[in-house]
């Protein structure tokens, strides 16, 4: 892919470097950051530039605000203290929530014990529209551009895409995190150590259909859990009660299973489930074989026999890719399948790659973070890589990019 490297940039003392980060971190009801991995993951590139005595301008989106309106709920001010603590620098933010000349002045006057953080980029109309005018304004903030926002690189947004056209190949690059993520997925998909096992869970088949079809050509085993398993089970003729299902994808589910069979890929579905009488923590629940799901009950987690089956299936794995929880792990009662899977993956001798915010959250709650080889910071972006797509934000910091925005 020929990614442009930060190390090849001739950054001199006092140069301004714009780093597009992904600071879209989870926040609880009290405004406390519950998981700061995305901030920590950006530190390598930031510290590298600070080490060159550059003036660092950081920018990110944060959730999905309405453009043009300030809403405290979507303000990136929420990360200032954490960022400042990690960098041991003062973090300054322009007064106006929309990008204006004041921000450009501020960038020029930054002190060496400061870094600058822009407000949520999505407050500006032009960001999600990949607007050239907005991109140009952003480009006036710096002499160098670095994209380190892997989690947003599947989007053609101004700070990810259009902005790169204002910098030549000597003045833009992929940050360390972006490079690490792309290299990891590339290597895993192209030259995995075998057996290569993909564990796919989460709510829906629809979001992961393309990735699954692409993965079947590359993996030795596929394990399916979570809500999406019920679409496969229904396609096989099981009664699934009120469990989550995508009826319009029953045919696709059959195609996936057929394809797996033709390619000799072993395909694993749950053999038992935890069923509940309603979608709630205080629901009545019981373990049942998948053959016995009663009408009006829904499967919200995989059962103990399935845990054992899945454990055996990953026993000989040398590479494991896991994307999507095995059940509704947010509710204690239905979290066991996901936590057990986290422990099995952590205990394996395989190279383990965790994709998707939810799965990262499961691994973190299960206390297995340190045991995994690699935890991706981007759910949607990693899925698109698995689908075999080139991410617009990655292409834009590649040596071969022709600058076309369409
Ligand atoms: P996704 O964003 O597709 O990876 O899905 C993650 C979500 O799937 C989590 O919020 C889980 O609560 C949910 N989920 C997992 N298993 C089930 C299930 N059996 N029924 C309903 N939702 C589920």
């Amino acid at each position: 892919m020929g990614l442009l490297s930060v190390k090849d940039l001739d950054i001199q003392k006092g140069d301004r470097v714009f780093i597009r980060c992904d600071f879209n971190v989870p926040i609880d009801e009290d405004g406390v950051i519950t998981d700061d991995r995305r901030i920590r993951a950006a530190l390598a590139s930031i510290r590298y530039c600070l080490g060159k005595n550059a003036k660092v301008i950081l920018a990110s989106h944060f959730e999905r605000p309405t453009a043009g309106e300030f809403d405290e709920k979507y303000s990136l001010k929420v990360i200032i203290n954490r960022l400042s603590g990690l960098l041991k620098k003062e973090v300054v933010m322009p007064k106006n929530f929309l990008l204006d000349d004041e921000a450009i002045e501020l960038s020029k006057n930054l002190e060496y014990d400061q870094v600058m953080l822009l407000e949520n980029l999505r407050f500006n109309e032009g960001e999600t529209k990949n607007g050239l005018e907005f991109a140009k304004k952003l480009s006036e903030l710096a002499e160098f551009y670095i994209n380190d926002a892997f989690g947003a690189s599947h989007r053609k947004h101004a700070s990810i895409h259009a902005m790169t056209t204002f910098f030549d190949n000597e003045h833009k690059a992929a940050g360390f995190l972006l490079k690490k993520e792309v290299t990891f997925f590339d290597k895993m998909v192209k030259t995995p150590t075998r057996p290569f096992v993909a564990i796919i869970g989460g709510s829906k088949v629809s979001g992961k259909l393309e990735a699954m079809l692409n993965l079947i050509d590359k993996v030795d085993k596929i394990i399916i859990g979570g809500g999406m398993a019920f679409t496969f089970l229904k396609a096989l003729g099981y009664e699934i009660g009120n469990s989550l299902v995508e009826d319009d994808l029953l045919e696709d589910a059959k195609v996936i299973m057929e394809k797996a069979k033709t390619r000799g890929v072993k395909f694993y579905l749950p053999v038992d489930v935890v069923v509940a009488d309603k979608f709630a923590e205080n629901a009545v629940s019981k373990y049942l074989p998948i053959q016995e799901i009663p009408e009006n009950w829904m499967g919200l987690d995989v059962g103990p026999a399935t845990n054992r089956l899945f454990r055996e299936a990953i026993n000989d794995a040398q590479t494991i890719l896991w994307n999507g929880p095995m059940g509704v792990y947010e509710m204690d009662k239905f979290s066991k399948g996901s936590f057990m899977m986290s422990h099995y993956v952590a205990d394996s001798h395989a190279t383990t790659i965790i994709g998707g915010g939810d799965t990262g959250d499961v691994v973190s709650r299960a206390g297995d973070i340190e045991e995994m080889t690699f935890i991706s910071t981007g759910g949607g972006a990693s899925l698109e890589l698995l689908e075999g797509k080139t991410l617009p934000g990655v292409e834009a910091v590649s040596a071969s990019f022709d600058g076309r925005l369409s």
Side-chain angles (χ1 to χ4, degrees):
M1 155 86 21
L3 278 182
L4 296 164
S5 164
V6 176
K7 289 194 171 161
D8 293 335
L9 299 177
D10 184 21
I11 302 171
Q12 299 291 327
K13 182 170 186 198
D15 282 340
R16 294 171 303 159
V17 183
F18 177 100
I19 310 180
R20 175 48 159 107
C21 303
D22 178 5
F23 292 145
N24 192 19
V25 290
I27 306 280
D28 69 14
E29 317 79 64
D30 304 316
V32 177
I33 299 170
T34 53
D35 180 355
D36 67 358
R37 264 176 298 141
R38 283 183 163 170
I39 305 180
R40 289 174 186 276
L43 295 178
S45 295
I46 302 173
R47 286 188 178 135
Y48 178 85
C49 297
L50 290 172
K52 296 262 169 195
N53 287 319
K55 295 178 178 176
V56 173
I57 293 97
L58 303 171
S60 173
H61 68 289
F62 184 59
E63 299 194 10
R64 294 164 192 258
T66 310
E69 287 170 26
F70 180 76
D71 186 341
E72 192 73 41
K73 199 167 106 193
Y74 300 113
S75 171
L76 267 177
K77 287 193 186 105
V78 70
I79 70 154
I80 287 182
N81 281 345
R82 186 71 59 101
L83 188 60
S84 177
L86 289 166
L87 288 173
K88 304 200 172 42
K89 300 257 179 213
E90 184 192 359
V91 176
V92 294
M93 194 181 249
K95 287 197 189 71
N96 195 347
F97 72 101
L98 297 174
L99 184 65
D100 62 5
D101 290 341
E102 184 235 334
I104 294 164
E105 272 315 297
L106 192 60
S107 70
K108 289 179 182 158
N109 296 323
L110 268 190
E111 303 286 343
Y112 288 103
D113 56 353
Q114 297 178 324
V115 294
M116 178 170 159
L117 172 68
L118 296 185
E119 244 310 354
N120 187 349
L121 288 165
R122 291 189 185 166
F123 282 145
N124 296 276
E125 285 268 329
E127 172 62 4
T128 56
K129 295 188 174 144
N130 206 20
L132 209 53
E133 209 178 306
F134 177 57
K136 178 155 193 335
K137 196 93 198 147
L138 282 172
S139 73
E140 288 169 25
L141 286 162
E143 283 77 42
F144 290 93
Y145 169 90
I146 292 172
N147 179 6
D148 217 11
F150 175 70
S153 286
H154 55 313
R155 307 206 184 277
K156 270 192 181 170
H157 288 175
S159 61
I160 294 285
H161 200 239
M163 188 178 171
T164 62
T165 60
F166 296 96
F167 298 84
D168 62 23
N169 284 1
E170 280 69 51
H171 292 86
K172 66 178 170 187
F176 294 120
L177 172 65
L178 188 74
K179 183 155 186 237
K180 191 166 147 193
E181 295 260 13
V182 173
T183 312
F184 228 103
F185 279 100
D186 197 54
K187 184 164 173 278
M188 181 199 63
V189 170
K190 288 196 184 131
T191 51
T193 320
R194 296 185 179 280
F196 177 13
V197 183
I199 306 164
I200 313 285
S203 56
K204 291 186 184 150
V205 180
S206 46
K208 293 172 188 169
L209 187 67
E210 290 300 320
M212 267 193 263
L213 282 168
N214 196 32
L215 276 172
I216 288 180
D217 291 327
K218 311 197 156 81
V219 299
D220 302 292
K221 304 183 187 185
I222 291 196
I223 293 175
I224 305 279
M228 69 158 63
F230 297 100
T231 300
F232 288 94
L233 291 170
K234 185 164 179 184
L236 289 172
Y238 290 99
E239 293 298 331
I240 55 159
N242 271 348
S243 307
L244 200 67
V245 69
E246 287 168 289
D247 281 317
D248 52 333
L249 291 182
L250 292 174
E251 280 312 308
D252 293 277
K254 283 184 193 158
V255 168
I256 291 177
M257 290 188 280
E258 258 324 298
K259 195 173 168 192
K261 202 168 169 187
T262 335
R263 307 259 154 149
V265 174
K266 310 281 184 300
F267 197 86
Y268 301 83
L269 283 166
V271 290
D272 64 344
V273 282
V274 182
V275 291
D277 61 345
K278 57 181 176 190
F279 190 87
E281 185 85 69
N282 65 354
V284 178
S285 65
K286 49 188 174 185
Y287 297 135
L288 284 176
I290 45 140
Q291 289 81 353
E292 296 173 27
I293 301 174
E295 225 183 319
N296 300 326
W297 287 61
M298 58 184 82
L300 296 182
D301 194 10
V302 293
T306 304
N307 288 333
R308 285 197 294 277
L309 170 72
F310 288 177
R311 179 187 207 169
E312 262 189 58
I314 65 168
N315 215 9
D316 64 344
Q318 290 296 317
T319 308
I320 299 176
L321 165 77
W322 181 18
N323 186 311
M326 297 290 103
V328 184
Y329 75 96
E330 298 92 334
M331 299 184 200
D332 279 349
K333 216 171 187 169
F334 311 111
S335 64
K336 199 158 182 193
S338 300
F339 288 171
M340 296 293 270
M341 181 59 96
S342 175
H343 299 329
Y344 300 155
V345 174
D347 285 346
S348 75
H349 296 289
T351 301
T352 51
I353 299 110
I354 310 299
D358 278 328
T359 324
D361 195 23
V362 168
V363 171
S364 160
R365 291 193 200 195
D368 293 324
I369 288 269
E370 298 302 324
E371 313 303 322
M372 304 300 178
T373 313
F374 186 68
I375 300 185
S376 176
T377 55
S382 61
L383 272 180
E384 290 202 13
L385 281 183
L386 295 175
E387 284 165 23
K389 292 184 184 157
T390 304
L391 309 186
V394 173
E395 192 183 20
V397 286
S398 304
S400 55
F401 183 51
D402 61 9
R404 268 190 295 180
L405 293 181
S406 58

